[in-house]
Amino acid sequence: MGWPVSHSLSPRLHNRWLEHLHIDGAYIPMPVHPSRLEQALRALPVLGFRGCNLTIPHKEKALSIVDEFTDLARRVGAINTIVVEDDGRLIGNNTDVFGFQENLKAAGFKSHVDMKSATVLGAGGAARAIVVALQDLGFTDIRLVNRTREKAELCASALKQKDDIRIFEWEQTTEAMEGSKLLVNTTALGMKGQPDLMIDLSPLAKEAWVTDVVYNPLITGLLRQAEEKGFYVVDGLGMLIHQARPSFHAWFGLEPHVNQDIRNYVLNNGATSL
Ligand code: NAP
């Protein structure tokens, strides 16, 4: 459920997994106006749904509608997955945190003692899940850079553990990246139809990691520049695919595959098998 939702790649992904695992089911995109979210969610058990995913702008509001939510969802302040229990209760979870971490790990990222500083661009819903993911990976110096300072302050005050989050103005992006081991773009900049994210990556630490939540295009201007400068680069498609795994498992009890073919299939590049 989202508003709008037609752009979502999730139906393509989940339906492919359902087909591959011979599960008689369907994952359908539902445009739901924000004023109708509660009615739509309450209809899920009656209509026979095992659950749903939520995307912009429903993730935060849904938290106040479901019957229960996980500790992780409470920490992030948003849910992207709902499971319908046998008795009709709705349980909310946040799998974006897992999706972000798994995407990095699948690319070979290992957190260790040197991996303390990360710079996060943006302070919206995606950034919240990513800040929590970074905290749980052991990052203790998280530099949050956002165009609108108040939003960064809200994000930091909701999520900070001791003094692990520092806020920087958008104009201070260079300073915020100084010596950072990981850079994450969580803004929509670089997405098809949006301006590119124009920043100089030189201040990052040597051998830093650069990742983008934007996956259309797959290699954003930011990632291209990072590749050219020799940084480790991780695209945003993996986050989308990995966040879907725990949801699928919770609804259908089976673990879906993640491999290059599913990535190609989701991108519609013509791969024919998982
Ligand atoms: P959101 O809550 O609306 O937040 C958008 C963020 O982008 C805000 O921090 C906003 O800054 C910033 N921003 C927007 N336009 C900007 C501009 N022109 N210059 C500078 N900053 C700008 O959205 P969201 O839920 O965080 O999603 C953000 C992006 O992540 C979307 O493209 C979404 O599709 C993608 N996403 C991808 C995945 C994945 O699995 N790969 C998962 C979740 C989201 P202000 O506060 O100043 O407005």
Side-chain angles (χ1 to χ4, degrees):
M1 294 183 191
W3 186 265
V5 79
S6 57
H7 64 282
S8 173
L9 293 178
S10 293
R12 202 168 161 74
L13 172 62
H14 282 276
N15 285 323
R16 183 68 169 172
W17 281 337
L18 286 168
E19 186 190 346
H20 179 74
L21 294 166
H22 307 291
I23 296 170
D24 183 14
Y27 183 109
I28 55 172
M30 285 192 175
V32 172
H33 189 272
S35 66
R36 294 292 176 91
L37 181 63
E38 179 154 13
Q39 286 160 288
L41 292 180
R42 286 294 163 205
L44 287 172
V46 188
L47 296 172
F49 284 94
R50 300 299 300 264
C52 73
N53 280 139
L54 298 158
T55 187
I56 296 172
H58 299 321
K59 291 186 185 186
E60 289 85 10
K61 176 76 190 305
L63 203 61
S64 64
I65 298 173
V66 294
D67 301 301
E68 274 178 47
F69 45 79
T70 59
D71 282 348
L72 193 61
R74 180 191 46 73
R75 258 178 84 196
V76 177
I79 57 182
N80 71 331
T81 302
I82 291 177
V83 174
V84 177
E85 297 284 282
D86 290 343
D87 61 5
R89 281 177 320 125
L90 305 176
I91 314 294
N93 193 10
N94 188 303
T95 68
D96 284 332
V97 175
F98 176 85
F100 177 78
Q101 292 175 338
E102 284 296 298
N103 190 30
L104 280 184
K105 288 179 190 170
F109 174 87
K110 287 186 181 66
S111 51
H112 50 78
V113 280
D114 281 353
M115 281 288 175
K116 294 299 173 210
S117 55
T119 304
V120 178
L121 307 179
R128 282 183 175 234
I130 286 167
V131 167
V132 169
L134 293 173
Q135 288 173 326
D136 290 355
L137 283 170
F139 284 89
T140 49
D141 174 17
I142 299 169
R143 299 120 181 229
L144 197 56
V145 189
N146 197 46
R147 184 180 57 178
T148 310
R149 187 182 172 92
E150 298 76 50
K151 224 156 129 193
E153 280 168 357
L154 277 175
C155 180
S157 68
L159 302 180
K160 75 169 182 280
Q161 297 177 342
K162 296 188 185 142
D163 293 322
D164 63 348
I165 304 178
R166 287 191 282 155
I167 296 170
F168 290 78
E169 304 292 338
W170 190 250
E171 295 71 27
Q172 294 176 298
T173 303
T174 306
E175 195 183 328
M177 289 194 300
E178 197 64 54
S180 200
K181 301 278 182 163
L182 172 68
L183 174 72
V184 193
N185 174 42
T186 79
T187 75
L189 289 173
M191 196 160 84
K192 198 172 162 198
Q194 294 271 343
D196 240 337
L197 178 57
M198 302 295 283
I199 51 171
D200 173 15
L201 299 179
S202 310
L204 290 174
K206 242 178 101 186
E207 305 207 323
W209 289 70
V210 178
T211 183
D212 206 323
V213 295
V214 171
Y215 50 79
N216 183 16
L218 193 59
I219 302 299
T220 57
L222 173 71
L223 297 186
R224 188 169 308 106
Q225 191 201 149
E227 248 171 12
E228 285 164 10
K229 287 202 150 61
F231 295 117
Y232 295 103
V233 165
V234 187
D235 67 60
L237 182 65
M239 179 177 172
L240 177 86
I241 293 178
H242 285 288
Q243 63 78 32
R245 281 171 50 207
S247 309
F248 189 93
H249 186 266
W251 300 324
F252 305 113
L254 294 175
E255 186 64 44
H257 284 75
V258 177
N259 55 22
Q260 190 56 43
D261 278 350
I262 195 77
R263 283 174 56 90
N264 291 342
Y265 181 79
V266 170
L267 289 172
N268 202 10
N269 277 357
T272 51
S273 61
L274 277 175

